[in-house]
Amino acid sequence: MSKPYVVGIDIGGTNTVFGIVDARGVVLASSSIKTRKHSTIEAYLDELHTELTKLLEANDAIGKIHGIGIGAPNANYYTGTIESGVNLPWPTPIPLAQLVSDKFGIPVSITNDANAAAIGEMTYGAARGLKDFIMITLGTGVGSGIVINGQLVYGHDGFAGELGHIIVKRNNGRLCGCGRCGCLETYCSATGVARTAREFLEARSNEPSLLRNIPTEDITSKDVYDAAIAGDKLAKDVFEFTGDILGAALADFTVFSAPEAFILFGGLAKSGELLMKPLRESMEKNMIKIWKGKVKILLSELKEADAAVLGASALGWEAKQMPTPSAIPVTPTPAVPQVTPATTPQA
Amino acid sequence: MSKPYVVGIDIGGTNTVFGIVDARGVVLASSSIKTRKHSTIEAYLDELHTELTKLLEANDAIGKIHGIGIGAPNANYYTGTIESGVNLPWPTPIPLAQLVSDKFGIPVSITNDANAAAIGEMTYGAARGLKDFIMITLGTGVGSGIVINGQLVYGHDGFAGELGHIIVKRNNGRLCGCGRCGCLETYCSATGVARTAREFLEARSNEPSLLRNIPTEDITSKDVYDAAIAGDKLAKDVFEFTGDILGAALADFTVFSAPEAFILFGGLAKSGELLMKPLRESMEKNMIKIWKGKVKILLSELKEADAAVLGASALGWEAKQMPTPSAIPVTPTPAVPQVTPATTPQA
């Protein structure tokens, strides 16, 4: 008897959302718990176990789960571990795949949140049918999931696709959480937009702006958006500046993997033409000739909450086959793209 | 009867080198013709046909060629065409795979020279056993061949991997042949090194340098190398500057695909510690923490002439299977790396 469902779990800094998903990508039911409520990972997993078990019982899904897929910050697909440097309240590394698998007796596979979003988009969203695309998540930070020839790029160690940490400003760039300066995410994330607004307000101190009604340190990207929509020149310039930097970065990413499309996801991606117009213009202006007019910028077609759970859940179908680095055979000579059959688990 | 040999052809701006290669990567025999001798592609192909046929006859290889692989500038793997913007004396696009296949009655597959070098290195050189690496060719320009999960990255249109055209200087960057400014290859190619030397000689006009004995416009990267080896401070600084820019670029490339190694190939890669020391230092200095100390910089292990022919020849084994974009099945849900068997044609 093959099992008809998977579970997707999205672990965010604030909330952990989880859902039961069928082979067609329908989220049968979902629920959430607070990520930061527990001081130990064990207590957190206890609550997750209790709440997920309730959800499974209520949906007659006990014993019907093929696998659990988890999207989490800095989660390594190869090792099943959450690595250091993340905004979670527990010591790292966390052997998450093992811990959750032990708890539920179900195979578990994990990847980072941006990769999970890319998988969700490829399976159920704007990237259906695309073999080469790059998912860019514009949230608190900038994340990415790179798909080449139909496969998610993990790199030799499982961490590939950290495009938020491409350096876009080599001199006097903004300090990034990674310890370096000038990373894309210091400019083109939600926090980057707020930072730009604060800089503009200071540099253009004689210019009136609706944003001056808000205490400087409290300004959010949402405030900048609202001001820009209300016609505020300075706020509109913030989006112009943001789109300009992001567009140049997308043009650079294109020379790497020649994607058919970039797919934008996250709060900032909902800024409409305020962001999209300067972004498209900058990408085209900076694009090398052979790709001018050929690379699309698309918006995610998934509801934000669903995308994370759906993306994570797609990994659940593969969980029992999770390879470890030592188990991956070395394939030295595939001189042409290996066309492999789809593994969609259509029952 | 399976055919035991392939032919590799490397079309350069000056010379076209071709050779007969067996399944173990032994170049049985090779020869060359001048690329620019003929004003029409037809006349060029006539000479290539004559000379290659002679080589095949002399080696008892007539009727024993499985396929022909060609490495050529701007050659598109998917379409079999040499596209515009290349330093060849004939009008583009050139349907090269078709023309050569018609001429010889043998299946033909083509790719650009840097991709061919990457395939050569993966099959017979420093990248044997590596599934994730990036080949960087430091010649007249800067080329690249990106291998991810054991597969060469072609992108959605066959042109991916143009890392010489990543922008490394956004303001006042050097004009590139591609029409944009600040591309990596304007700094880190052989011509880039000569350009840097000319700039330094002008900017530091009071400083003595061995390079002042050479007419400024005649200075080559070889001259700069010779002067640096002789202890010339200004020439050594040119390599320092070059390594610094290339190292920062390699650190950026790492966040994209997390390669296990970069493999350097081409004239400039033979500069030894003059280039390698600042290159390694800059790459580590600019590397995001999770990859510090983890990414290798290797030198090509193939003889320069052999590498191009060997790399191109590896494509010859696959030539009969050359996929066209419309023939490639779309694989929507490979959520885990697809581990495919090696296709090395060991008889």
Side-chain angles (χ1 to χ4, degrees), chain A residues 77 157 180 286 291 332 334 336, chain B residues 77 122 150 157 180 286 291 336:
Chain A
Y77 174 77
D157 59 357
R180 303 177 311 155
N286 287 285
W291 285 300
V336 293
Chain B
Y77 174 77
M122 179 160 58
D157 59 358
R180 303 178 309 155
N286 287 284
W291 285 301
V336 293

Side-chain angles (χ1 to χ4, degrees), chain A residues 202-257:
Chain A
E202 189 176 332
R204 293 153 63 166
S205 56
N206 292 327
E207 185 180 329
S209 168
L210 294 170
L211 294 170
R212 298 199 190 278
N213 302 328
I214 304 166
T216 312
E217 287 311 306
D218 295 347
I219 291 172
T220 66
S221 62
K222 178 67 166 53
D223 297 327
V224 184
Y225 174 79
D226 290 341
I229 288 293
D232 189 80
K233 173 77 168 65
L234 187 143
K236 286 198 279 188
D237 286 352
V238 171
F239 279 98
E240 190 88 26
F241 176 87
T242 308
D244 209 49
I245 291 177
L246 186 57
L250 297 191
D252 259 4
F253 301 162
T254 301
V255 306
F256 203 103
S257 68

Side-chain angles (χ1 to χ4, degrees), chain B residues 66-83:
Chain B
H66 184 92
I68 295 174
I70 303 177
N74 271 18
N76 188 309
Y77 174 77
Y78 289 139
T79 61
T81 300
I82 293 184
E83 309 286 342

Side-chain angles (χ1 to χ4, degrees), chain B residues 138-325:
Chain B
L138 302 170
T140 313
V142 172
S144 64
I146 303 167
V147 173
I148 291 178
N149 203 21
Q151 303 175 7
L152 203 67
V153 173
Y154 289 105
H156 87 281
D157 59 358
F159 287 118
E162 288 291 343
L163 298 184
H165 296 284
I166 286 278
I167 305 295
V168 295
K169 201 161 185 316
R170 295 225 169 259
N171 299 308
N172 300 314
R174 292 178 183 168
L175 182 63
C176 181
C178 77
R180 303 178 309 155
C181 289
C183 291
L184 179 65
E185 84 168 25
T186 66
Y187 295 91
C188 298
S189 61
T191 45
V193 164
R195 221 162 149 176
T196 303
R198 284 192 282 273
E199 280 186 14
F200 280 23
L201 286 166
E202 191 176 330
R204 294 152 63 166
S205 57
N206 293 326
E207 183 180 330
S209 167
L210 295 169
L211 294 170
R212 298 200 190 278
N213 302 328
I214 304 166
T216 312
E217 287 313 305
D218 295 348
I219 291 172
T220 66
S221 62
K222 178 68 165 56
D223 297 328
V224 184
Y225 174 79
D226 290 342
I229 287 293
D232 190 80
K233 173 75 168 67
L234 187 142
K236 286 198 279 189
D237 287 352
V238 171
F239 279 99
E240 190 88 25
F241 176 86
T242 308
D244 209 49
I245 291 177
L246 185 57
L250 298 191
D252 259 4
F253 301 162
T254 301
V255 306
F256 203 103
S257 68
E260 191 170 343
F262 291 99
I263 298 175
L264 306 185
F265 176 77
L268 216 54
K270 295 179 216 153
S271 308
E273 285 302 296
L274 275 175
L275 180 69
M276 292 302 283
K277 186 169 180 290
L279 171 56
R280 273 193 306 262
E281 285 173 3
S282 168
M283 184 178 87
E284 289 303 327
K285 191 185 76 186
N286 287 284
M287 192 71 90
I288 186 170
K289 199 169 149 202
I290 50 170
W291 285 301
K292 268 191 201 292
K294 292 187 185 159
V295 180
K296 295 188 268 284
I297 302 177
L298 306 174
L299 296 177
S300 165
E301 290 180 4
L302 300 179
K303 277 190 297 178
E304 194 150 350
D306 274 6
V309 166
L310 282 173
S313 78
L315 269 183
W317 294 112
E318 310 287 345
K320 70 173 172 180
Q321 305 160 358
M322 190 176 81
T324 58

